[in-house]
């Protein structure tokens, strides 16, 4: 059943007013006609009476004339009687005329009344018919308006009184407010979530002033159902006052036009334009420099403050060590907090922090509602926990920087200000920024590596030319000497011991030259795909004895004690040549840097692995250099004091790892160094 809308009272009043006017006109016509009939009747009576009076006066004059002529008493009596009779006759005639006129007047009045009643009845019937048609029209219009009211897609409602009590609400309005029971309730009671929003005050103002209010794109938060969170929507709406018969405001009709989709679409367009500008500016800024540190610092500052309150950049090396490369915060004090937190609890590859998880999985971490305690690892102490609370993270996301199929870094964004939370759109923007940043950082890293490679190449060429020239010089001198003796046919005069020494020197220098060349070849093989392992049974005692035997002469020459502590039998499955290469490099380094102090080579086994140690008591290695010396072309000592390409330990590490083992060093400056190699007894068959 459609609701009956309140009938427009002014139209019914107009109909009633028309009936009243018609009746007034009829009554006026009846009075006019009645006055005319009375006037005509009165004029006839006056005329008849006048004729009778004239006749009576004439008779009196005749009688008086007769009396004056000397008539007798009899004649006078007769004349009096005649006069009396005439007077009576005239009086009777007058009465007859009056009765006739009165009767005629009554007939005319009755006819007039009948005519008036008939005309009035006809008028009433016509007006009633018109009124019935008007009522039918109004009823039909009420039904039509009710149907329109119910079917209009826009929310409409009617409230009455200063408390704004709901009288009518169409389905669109009911859907808007969550299909609640509204009839008979005030708007403050029915829609309590509007408290604190401007709508109640606006309705009060419209009711008090009688002036309509038009609102455009006004936000409203409404409960969409019991237990559901409020949802912000936008409306263009009208509060139209409704006047009563007394001309005062009786209620308010509310018309609402929802424009949420238009607002959202416009906001998305604006946001898309803002993001496009942001990414364009980011690309330009990131591409402005190939200096890695500057690029990372620019990257951390890019997102502030539009995308984040703080941003940090973490990178990881090939050894899975995570390093904080750049930090930025809108608050300088909290930026120091970030650095202090990282100093107190640096991240490791296997920790539960989101950043290592992103490194491990290559997938973004998205936490729109969180705290710093939730994303950080367990606090180390109370002060650390206090620092995390002071940072006050409310929303967080970490996205990978992917380049050439691997994660080269992680961008972390955080919000600390109340009222801001990350959305999936923010995550998409962060991922786009990370993608562009990855290319910029990768380019900067490649440029830095290229520059480093050029420096290493130049240094290597300088070292190589020196190192290769060093053994060639004595070889050339001894060969010249032998050649000169041969030309002068003095070979018979050469002392056999002197010749042997020259040949031994030539052999050592050729061996040294061979090692240098083999080292360069190993760099090529280990860097490419030509490195293969030939696994066989190897007696470690026998192999170590062979290696140390080759260095006995050098050890005696430098007066360096060379000790070997290896079990009688230690058998494993390795590549013999490569294990020999490992021992040769380690013993050679120990003799080179041992400064003539004892060098010890030892080996043990736990049944699964062999543990080999080469120890010297020489110059030692600084802590900051202990990891670097295993890298290619890296050295912990000046080239001018100690020769070599800086390849030996890098080659050793590559071979050890290819055999499935590990190598490490323990050292202090001035107190020597101990290199420890652990090799599984069952090595892998191929790299």
């Amino acid at each position: 059943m459609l609701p009956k809308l309140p009938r427009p009272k002014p139209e019914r009043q107009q109909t009633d007013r028309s009936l009243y006017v018609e009746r007034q006109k009829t009554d006026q016509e009846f009075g006019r006609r009645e006055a005319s009939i009375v006037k005509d009747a009165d004029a006839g009576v006056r005329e008849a009476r006048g004729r009778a009076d004239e006749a009576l006066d004439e008779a009196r004059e005749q009688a008086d004339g007769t009396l004056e002529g000397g008539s007798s008493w009899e004649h006078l009596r007769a004349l009096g009687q005649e006069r009396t009779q005439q007077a009576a006759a005239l009086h009777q005639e007058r009465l007859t005329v009056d009765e006739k006129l009165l009767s005629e007047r009554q007939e005319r009045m009755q006819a007039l009344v009948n005519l008036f009643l008939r005309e009035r009845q006809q008028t009433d019937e016509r007006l009633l018919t018109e009124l019935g048609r008007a009522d039918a029209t109004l009823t039909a219009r009420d039904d039509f308006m009710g149907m329109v009211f119910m079917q209009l897609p826009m929310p409409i409602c009617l409230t009455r009184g200063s408390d704004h009590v709901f009288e009518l609400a169409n389905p669109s309005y009911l859907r808007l407010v969550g299909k609640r029971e509204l009839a008979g309730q005030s708007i403050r009671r029915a829609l309590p979530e509007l408290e604190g929003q401007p709508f109640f005050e606006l309705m009060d103002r419209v009711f008090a002033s009688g002036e309509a209010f038009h609102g455009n794109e006004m936000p409203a938060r409404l409960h969409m159902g019991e237990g559901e969170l409020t949802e912000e929507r936008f409306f263009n709406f009208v509060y139209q006052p409704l006047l009563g018969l007394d001309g005062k405001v009786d209620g308010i009709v509310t018309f609402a036009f929802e424009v949420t989709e238009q607002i959202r679409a416009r906001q998305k367009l604006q946001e898309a334009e803002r993001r496009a500008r942001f990414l364009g500016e980011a690309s330009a800024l990131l591409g402005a420099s190939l200096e890695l540190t500057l690029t990372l610092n620019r990257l951390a500052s890019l997102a502030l403050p539009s995308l984040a309150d703080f941003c940090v950049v973490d990178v990881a090396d090939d050894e899975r060590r995570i390093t904080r490369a750049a930090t930025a915060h809108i608050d300088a004090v909290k930026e120091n907090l970030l650095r202090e937190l990282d100093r107190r609890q640096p991240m490791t590859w296997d920790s539960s922090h989101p950043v290592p998880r992103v490194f491990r999985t290559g997938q973004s971490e998205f936490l729109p509602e969180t705290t710093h305690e939730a994303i950080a690892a367990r606090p180390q102490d109370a002060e650390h926990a206090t620092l995390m609370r002071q940072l006050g993270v409310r929303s967080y996301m970490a996205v990978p920087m992917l380049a050439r199929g691997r994660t080269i870094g992680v961008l972390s964004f955080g919000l600390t200000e109340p009222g801001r939370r990350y959305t999936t759109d923010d995550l998409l923007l962060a991922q786009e920024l990370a993608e562009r940043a990855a290319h910029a950082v990768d380019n900067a890293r490649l440029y830095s590596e290229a520059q480093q490679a050029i420096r290493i190449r130049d240094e290597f060429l300088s070292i190589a030319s020196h190192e290769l020239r060093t053994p060639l010089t004595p070889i050339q001198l001894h060969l010249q000497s032998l050649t000169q003796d041969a030309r002068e046919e003095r070979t018979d005069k050469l002392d056999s011991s002197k010749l042997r020494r020259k040949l031994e020197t030539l052999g050592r220098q050729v061996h040294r030259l061979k090692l240098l060349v083999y080292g360069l070849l190993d760099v090529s093989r280990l860097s490419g795909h030509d490195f293969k392992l030939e696994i066989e049974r190897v007696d470690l005692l026998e192999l170590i004895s062979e290696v140390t035997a080759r260095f006995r002469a050098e050890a005696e020459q430098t007066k360096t004690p060379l000790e070997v502590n290896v079990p009688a039998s230690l058998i494993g499955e390795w590549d013999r040549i490569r294990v020999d290469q490992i021992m040769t490099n380690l013993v050679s380094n120990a003799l080179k840097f041992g400064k003539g102090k004892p060098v010890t080579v030892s080996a043990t086994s736990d049944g699964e692995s062999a543990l080999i140690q080469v120890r010297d008591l020489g110059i030692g290695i600084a802590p900051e250099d202990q990891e670097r010396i295993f890298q290619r072309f890296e050295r912990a000592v000046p080239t001018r004091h100690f020769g070599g390409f800086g390849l030996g330990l890098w080659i050793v590490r590559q071979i050890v790892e290819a055999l499935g083992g590990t190598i490490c060093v323990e050292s202090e400056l001035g107190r020597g160094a101990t290199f420890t190699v652990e090799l599984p007894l069952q090595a892998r068959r191929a790299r």
Side-chain angles (χ1 to χ4, degrees), residues 168 268 305 309 326 422 429 515 562 644 680 683:
L168 291 173
K268 286 183 178 180
D309 294 332
Y422 281 129
L429 178 61
L515 291 178
L562 182 58

Side-chain angles (χ1 to χ4, degrees), residues 443-457:
N443 289 339
R445 176 177 288 180
L446 291 174
Y447 176 76
S448 177
E449 291 176 354
Q451 294 296 104
Q452 180 68 11
I454 292 173
R455 288 193 296 271
I456 291 173
R457 181 203 64 187

Side-chain angles (χ1 to χ4, degrees), residues 554-612:
E554 182 179 345
E556 292 174 359
Q557 186 178 359
T558 59
K559 298 180 180 181
T560 301
L562 182 58
E563 300 178 5
V564 177
N565 297 317
V566 182
S569 178
L570 207 168
I571 307 298
E573 293 188 356
W574 302 299
D575 185 318
R576 182 182 183 86
I577 295 177
R578 296 303 177 184
V579 175
D580 184 299
Q581 197 171 357
I582 292 171
M583 298 307 304
T584 299
N585 275 285
L586 293 179
V587 173
S588 175
N589 280 348
L591 293 173
K592 182 189 300 185
F593 301 110
K595 296 182 68 175
K597 296 180 180 180
V599 172
T600 304
V601 180
S602 62
T604 59
S605 175
D606 60 3
E608 294 184 357
S609 299
L611 196 67
I612 306 169

Side-chain angles (χ1 to χ4, degrees), residues 331-402:
D331 186 338
V333 174
K334 290 189 175 181
E335 184 172 327
N336 292 330
L337 278 180
L338 282 170
R339 293 193 174 94
E340 180 64 16
L341 284 169
D342 181 63
R343 186 189 67 79
R344 284 177 171 269
Q345 196 171 22
M347 287 175 290
T348 61
W349 187 265
D350 297 323
S351 72
S352 59
H353 193 282
V355 169
R357 287 202 299 269
V358 174
F359 271 114
R360 294 194 298 267
T361 64
Q363 301 295 320
S364 299
E365 292 276 333
F366 181 52
L367 303 171
E369 296 282 346
T370 189
T371 62
H372 192 79
E373 289 85 345
I375 62 175
R378 181 176 299 175
Q380 292 181 334
D381 48 41
E383 185 177 355
H384 187 216
T386 300
L387 292 176
M388 290 192 296
R389 285 193 297 272
Q390 289 176 355
L391 186 60
V393 181
R394 298 174 183 270
S395 192
Y396 178 85
M397 55 185 177
V399 296
M401 293 191 294
L402 302 173

Side-chain angles (χ1 to χ4, degrees), residues 248-458:
K248 296 181 179 179
V249 178
D250 180 55
I252 296 176
V253 179
T254 301
F255 301 88
F257 306 87
E258 186 169 4
V259 292
T260 303
E261 292 185 3
Q262 294 89 320
I263 297 296
R264 297 279 189 249
R266 188 176 67 204
Q267 289 175 344
K268 286 183 178 180
L269 179 60
Q270 293 172 346
E271 183 66 15
E273 293 175 351
R274 185 187 69 81
R275 291 170 187 267
R277 287 195 302 271
F278 172 76
L279 291 173
E281 293 171 359
S283 298
L285 192 60
L286 289 171
S289 173
L290 287 174
E291 203 281 312
L292 184 58
T293 302
L294 179 60
T295 300
L296 291 173
N297 287 326
R298 284 178 173 177
L299 178 58
S301 301
L302 269 177
L304 309 184
S306 60
L307 185 59
D309 294 332
F310 71 83
C311 176
V312 295
V313 184
D314 295 289
V315 296
D317 58 19
D318 294 336
E319 303 300 323
R320 296 183 173 181
R321 289 187 297 266
I322 299 175
T323 305
R324 180 63 49 85
T327 303
H329 199 295
I330 58 174
D331 186 338
V333 174
K334 290 189 175 181
E335 184 172 327
N336 292 330
L337 278 180
L338 282 170
R339 293 193 174 94
E340 180 64 16
L341 284 169
D342 181 63
R343 186 189 67 79
R344 284 177 171 269
Q345 196 171 22
M347 287 175 290
T348 61
W349 187 265
D350 297 323
S351 72
S352 59
H353 193 282
V355 169
R357 287 202 299 269
V358 174
F359 271 114
R360 294 194 298 267
T361 64
Q363 301 295 320
S364 299
E365 292 276 333
F366 181 52
L367 303 171
E369 296 282 346
T370 189
T371 62
H372 192 79
E373 289 85 345
I375 62 175
R378 181 176 299 175
Q380 292 181 334
D381 48 41
E383 185 177 355
H384 187 216
T386 300
L387 292 176
M388 290 192 296
R389 285 193 297 272
Q390 289 176 355
L391 186 60
V393 181
R394 298 174 183 270
S395 192
Y396 178 85
M397 55 185 177
V399 296
M401 293 191 294
L402 302 173
R404 293 179 290 159
R406 66 189 186 95
T407 303
I408 64 172
V410 174
L411 278 176
S412 299
F413 305 90
L415 296 175
T416 59
E417 297 299 322
R420 293 185 67 188
R421 295 293 182 271
Y422 281 129
T423 65
T424 53
D425 289 338
D426 295 320
L427 178 61
L428 293 174
L429 178 61
Q431 290 172 337
E432 288 188 32
L433 177 62
E435 181 180 353
R436 301 183 185 210
H439 293 302
V441 171
D442 192 45
N443 289 339
R445 176 177 288 180
L446 291 174
Y447 176 76
S448 177
E449 291 176 354
Q451 294 296 104
Q452 180 68 11
I454 292 173
R455 288 193 296 271
I456 291 173
R457 181 203 64 187
D458 293 342

